[in-house]
Amino acid sequence: MEPNLRIDYYGVDKTIDWWTLGVLLYEMLAGLPPFYDGLSFLPLLRSALPHFPCLSSEVTDKMYKKILHNPLIFGDEISSLARSILTGLLNRDPSQRLGFNGAEEIKRHPFFAQHIDFERLLQKKIQPPFKPSVSSPVDVSNFDTVFTAEEPTDSVVEGGQLSQTVQAQFAGS
């Protein structure tokens, strides 16, 4: 959860997306989410997994406090470039967050700029380093069955439509 959304609610803007990108990158690189509290979270995760999502308010309160107050912690496996982009994306002050001035700011960061040619990427001229084997467009064999066997809930809202104001938020700019 982005810290200002929880405590101040300045409104929703793209800086929340950059916070989320930081959380995703951190988890991909470290194997755990930032501000993770393994000691209090692990027993809950073991008992809750069959009924996921199910988080106690005590655990989520600890996590929120860490998001608001604790420094980011990096393991030795996280490179200095990765630390730099993660620190920028996970800056608690949205006006100081990497990406506040637009996506180009993130694309120019050495973490991406040294490894991705965005022009070739947009032209779909970059071969992915890993391409999963699938038998059809709806093949889910690469996903753990704990997710594919789960009964979907709240997937369809009968007669539910977003207001024009809310729908406009998804139009992009």
Side-chain angles (χ1 to χ4, degrees), residues 37-170:
D37 185 353
L39 297 178
S40 64
F41 192 78
L42 192 57
L44 175 69
L45 183 60
R46 282 192 191 122
S47 65
L49 194 55
H51 310 287
F52 205 80
C54 176
L55 295 175
S56 76
S57 61
E58 180 182 328
V59 170
T60 53
D61 285 348
K62 277 186 176 184
M63 182 182 67
Y64 293 150
K65 286 177 183 172
K66 283 186 156 194
I67 289 170
L68 293 172
H69 305 293
N70 288 24
L72 277 173
I73 297 173
F74 300 106
D76 294 339
E77 73 279 6
I78 307 296
S79 72
S80 60
L81 280 180
R83 289 173 191 230
S84 174
I85 197 164
L86 291 170
T87 301
L89 291 168
L90 295 173
N91 189 317
R92 289 179 178 94
D93 180 351
S95 69
Q96 299 300 308
R97 189 170 299 148
L98 186 64
F100 178 78
N101 295 308
E104 289 300 319
E105 189 174 68
I106 296 168
K107 289 162 64 175
R108 284 191 307 266
H109 188 282
F111 180 84
F112 287 124
Q114 291 180 8
H115 303 285
I116 298 176
D117 179 339
F118 283 97
E119 192 63 38
R120 289 187 66 225
L121 181 66
L122 286 171
Q123 295 169 4
K124 299 183 180 182
K125 292 183 178 178
I126 296 177
Q127 289 296 316
F130 172 74
K131 193 171 181 182
S133 177
V134 293
S135 61
S136 75
V138 294
D139 179 1
V140 295
S141 63
N142 291 290
F143 294 91
D144 194 305
T145 56
V146 72
F147 302 108
T148 59
E150 189 174 331
E151 192 68 32
T153 57
D154 296 329
S155 295
V156 178
V157 178
E158 296 296 329
Q161 289 189 343
L162 297 175
S163 70
Q164 290 294 346
T165 306
V166 173
Q167 186 62 45
Q169 295 292 319
F170 292 96

Side-chain angles (χ1 to χ4, degrees), residues 2-17 94 97 169:
E2 199 266 352
N4 290 326
L5 184 64
R6 182 173 192 280
I7 59 171
D8 296 326
Y9 193 78
Y10 290 119
V12 177
D13 63 20
K14 290 183 180 178
T15 62
I16 292 172
D17 296 335
R97 189 170 299 148
Q169 295 292 319

